[in-house]
Amino acid sequence: MSTIGYDSWAVDLAEVGPVYPFQGSEGLMVVLGVIFWIAWHRIQFVREGEHLKKAKQMGDREKIHSLLEKY
Amino acid sequence: MDGNLNALTTVFTEFYYWVTVVFMFLIHVGFCMYEVGASRHRNHMHTLMKNIMIIPLVTVTFFFFGWWIYWAFPSFPFFGGLNHDAGSANLPWSQNMGTNLSDRITGVFWAAFLLFSWTAASIVSGAVIERIRSSALWVHAVMIGSVFWIIDAAWGWHAEGWMVKYLGYHDAYASGVIHAIAGGYALGVIMVLGPRLGKFAADGTPRDIPPHNPWMLTIGIFLIYSGFWGFYAACNIPAISPEGIGGLITGETWTATNIYLAPTSLSAITFNFLMSLSGGLMAAYVVSRGDAFWTFSGGLAGIITASAGNDLYHPIQAMLVGAVGVVIVYKLHYWVERTFKIDDAVGAVAVHGYSGVVGLIISGFLLWGAPSSPYEGFAAVNPVGQTIGAVIMFGVLGWLPGFVIAKMQAAAGVLRIPEEVELQGLDYAEHHAYEDAKAEIIAADKAAVNGGGVPAE
């Protein structure tokens, strides 16, 4: 048994279509991929929010002035 | 080249590999920029020269014996003798190794492999910056670039390699044969070489040594991405008939193949390259909490982790494999650094070595049962074969020779630069000469302006 559906390359390539593993599970793969993508945005929003909250309190007036001068 | 179609196929194949070589040159440019950007100002020129001289040293040795090893070693020494027939056509004194109108492929094919050799050596070069002697690194460059990686290519990246035949080893875009071996070799060297001064505090806590020029690093890694396209294309045979393959494939349909002459397509690897790059970047951004350099390196690690199976994966599989690999590699890097006080200056062991190993093992499961070769009598891809392959690449042909050769160099006192030189910087003498020359010419120009006459020509 092979995950790609072929145990051997003793085939006529004119009759071969997809050769990726787990053919027939494309829908599931898309669901997993979309979960990964959406989860990434969620994590990113939360972390950036936390970071900005902390960053708001960080600035030292003198250092900010020198940064503004630096352009 | 009799007949138009034959001529077209020959010239297309010749040009195809030539273009991959030009693209792959960008990998070396990128490595140079990355290393210089990561090093401190006082070490720039030496860091650059250390990497640049890999080019000629690996090139000439790959011409003298590296290329012969690839053709002579597929079964040697465990499953047969040297293949003298194939090897002799690729010896440096063979008529195929020169301008020869009856052989239009050897030169470009040799060059495509050679650029992989530079990459292997350059990976090691990055890990050891700012404290290795150039002379020591250049010996390592020849050993990894023209000996050890090409032995592993003969065994596991050749249509008749014994690892492919008996283990079902499958490594289409070199997770193991380039990245795992070079990362393992680098680890062997830095274990003997030791960390840069100041890398660890007295209580053993690791310190960050930030790059002096983050933008140079950024451009460097983007150039490596660009060159990686050429690397992927170079791992394929662009167009071949079933008759040309001479294996089990029937019919008349031509195909692109991987290095084992098993079918794939440029379309497949384009999908998978971009999706594994993206999976790696996204996972690295999250796991490193937005650290720019880990994110960029994570893109590379994503591709490397998926590379073993990127000829066959579905794009979403490539993306998820790249993402999973990056998380493992990132955690492993810091665990090794903290536990064993290992200073991997640019993360080369992690991004190349650990990614390569993880990628091989994952592909053993995802491609379980797939034919490793279009020829009869070859084992199918399987997790055990891929894991043994990973041990051979990272440990036996990578870590072990790197460690042993570095030990010999350390015993001879030629591995590491003196502490005083490390503190003042490798470029100290050159900086002095530069400053003296500058002061002299400024003084001469000022004298001329003040009426002292035109400076002597």
Side-chain angles (χ1 to χ4, degrees):
Chain A
M1 207 189 76
S2 160
T3 57
I4 67 165
Y6 293 91
D7 296 316
S8 154
W9 288 119
V11 291
D12 182 346
L13 294 178
E15 291 163 14
V16 176
V19 289
Y20 49 78
F22 311 117
Q23 294 148 38
S25 309
E26 292 83 356
L28 177 65
M29 288 194 273
V30 171
V31 169
L32 289 174
V34 169
I35 290 172
F36 173 66
W37 163 55
I38 298 292
W40 190 90
H41 281 298
R42 164 83 185 142
I43 294 167
Q44 161 61 10
F45 266 107
V46 171
R47 284 195 181 162
E48 191 170 21
E50 286 168 0
H51 166 72
L52 292 174
K53 212 169 163 184
K54 276 187 205 157
K56 229 166 49 170
Q57 324 294 336
M58 271 181 184
D60 172 292
R61 193 167 290 273
E62 217 167 284
K63 283 182 185 163
I64 294 169
H65 273 280
S66 86
L67 277 174
L68 292 175
E69 287 294 331
K70 213 171 164 187
Y71 191 58
Chain B
M1 289 199 294
D2 51 329
N4 282 352
L5 186 60
N6 192 16
L8 200 62
T9 310
T10 305
V11 173
F12 169 73
T13 307
E14 186 181 24
F15 187 66
Y16 174 94
Y17 284 116
W18 185 85
V19 169
T20 67
V21 170
V22 178
F23 263 105
M24 283 192 285
F25 204 96
L26 293 176
I27 296 178
H28 211 82
V29 178
F31 273 126
C32 283
M33 292 188 75
Y34 198 94
E35 274 189 40
V36 173
S39 67
R40 284 162 286 183
H41 194 258
R42 60 185 195 261
N43 296 316
H44 275 177
M45 279 314 292
H46 270 79
T47 303
L48 181 60
M49 292 306 288
K50 174 172 66 61
N51 200 324
I52 289 289
M53 290 310 292
I54 286 172
I55 293 177
L57 291 166
V58 174
T59 300
V60 297
T61 51
F62 199 73
F63 187 89
F64 294 148
F65 49 80
W67 190 227
W68 169 79
I69 289 173
Y70 181 68
W71 293 102
F73 274 52
S75 301
F76 182 80
F78 308 113
F79 295 93
L82 293 169
N83 186 337
H84 290 295
D85 287 344
S88 61
N90 297 283
L91 282 164
W93 50 82
S94 160
Q95 291 184 340
N96 296 70
M97 295 292 282
T99 312
N100 183 335
L101 297 187
S102 66
D103 177 355
R104 294 167 187 270
I105 199 68
T106 297
V108 284
F109 207 39
W110 169 80
F113 274 68
L114 169 65
L115 272 282
F116 298 175
S117 303
W118 294 2
T119 297
S122 212
I123 291 166
V124 177
S125 171
V128 298
I129 54 170
E130 301 194 309
R131 75 271 204 210
I132 199 167
R133 290 183 188 223
S134 296
S135 41
L137 183 274
W138 290 331
V139 171
H140 288 295
V142 169
M143 296 312 288
I144 182 75
S146 291
V147 180
F148 290 106
W149 108 262
I150 200 66
I151 291 176
D152 88 27
W155 290 358
W157 211 55
H158 186 294
E160 294 168 19
W162 70 262
M163 288 176 63
V164 187
K165 192 164 191 178
Y166 299 111
L167 299 176
Y169 184 75
H170 183 87
D171 192 7
Y173 302 101
S175 290
V177 295
I178 284 289
H179 300 284
I181 188 175
Y185 195 102
L187 180 64
V189 175
I190 58 179
M191 282 173 70
V192 182
L193 182 64
R196 287 167 290 176
L197 292 176
K199 172 66 190 174
F200 294 96
D203 65 354
T205 311
R207 291 194 183 106
D208 188 26
I209 302 181
H212 97 277
N213 188 335
W215 307 116
M216 192 178 263
L217 242 87
T218 307
I219 296 170
I221 203 138
F222 274 69
L223 285 171
I224 296 172
Y225 292 166
S226 309
F228 224 140
W229 284 100
F231 183 91
Y232 257 55
C235 294
N236 275 10
I237 309 290
I240 190 167
S241 65
E243 190 190 356
I245 294 170
L248 296 168
I249 300 171
T250 59
E252 302 290 325
T253 305
W254 286 55
T255 182
T257 73
N258 60 24
I259 196 76
Y260 311 112
L261 297 172
T264 185
S265 69
L266 270 181
S267 173
I269 69 173
T270 306
F271 269 135
N272 292 344
F273 181 95
L274 285 168
M275 291 293 273
S276 54
L277 168 71
S278 303
L281 283 165
M282 289 166 74
Y285 186 92
V286 168
V287 77
S288 71
R289 296 189 163 262
D291 178 276
F293 307 107
W294 266 106
T295 302
F296 304 154
S297 292
L300 201 58
I303 301 169
I304 293 166
T305 311
S307 284
N310 259 352
D311 57 331
L312 291 170
Y313 288 156
H314 185 280
I316 295 175
Q317 292 165 348
M319 177 186 77
L320 294 174
V321 168
V324 168
V326 163
V327 175
I328 297 172
V329 161
Y330 178 85
K331 300 280 182 195
L332 203 50
H333 170 80
Y334 284 109
W335 180 77
V336 169
E337 183 179 273
R338 278 192 313 272
T339 312
F340 302 104
K341 312 298 170 219
I342 296 288
D343 179 13
D344 176 10
V346 295
V349 176
V351 170
H352 298 276
Y354 306 155
S355 296
V357 168
V358 171
L360 285 173
I361 295 170
I362 292 175
S363 67
F365 288 95
L366 284 180
L367 301 178
W368 203 336
S372 65
S373 163
Y375 301 107
E376 205 169 1
F378 279 64
V381 182
N382 66 89
V384 176
Q386 292 296 91
T387 306
I388 295 171
V391 171
I392 291 171
M393 296 300 165
F394 187 90
V396 178
L397 289 173
W399 180 84
L400 187 62
F403 185 81
V404 170
I405 296 167
K407 274 279 183 199
M408 289 163 68
Q409 291 175 330
V414 295
L415 178 65
R416 186 160 180 144
I417 58 173
E419 197 174 309
E420 297 80 358
V421 177
E422 190 173 341
L423 285 169
Q424 72 193 18
L426 280 157
D427 293 347
Y428 186 78
E430 286 83 349
H431 274 314
H432 259 285
Y434 174 81
E435 292 299 333
D436 291 349
K438 214 167 76 174
E440 197 179 326
I441 191 68
I442 289 170
D445 285 346
K446 279 183 178 169
V449 170
N450 294 333
V454 178
E457 285 180 15

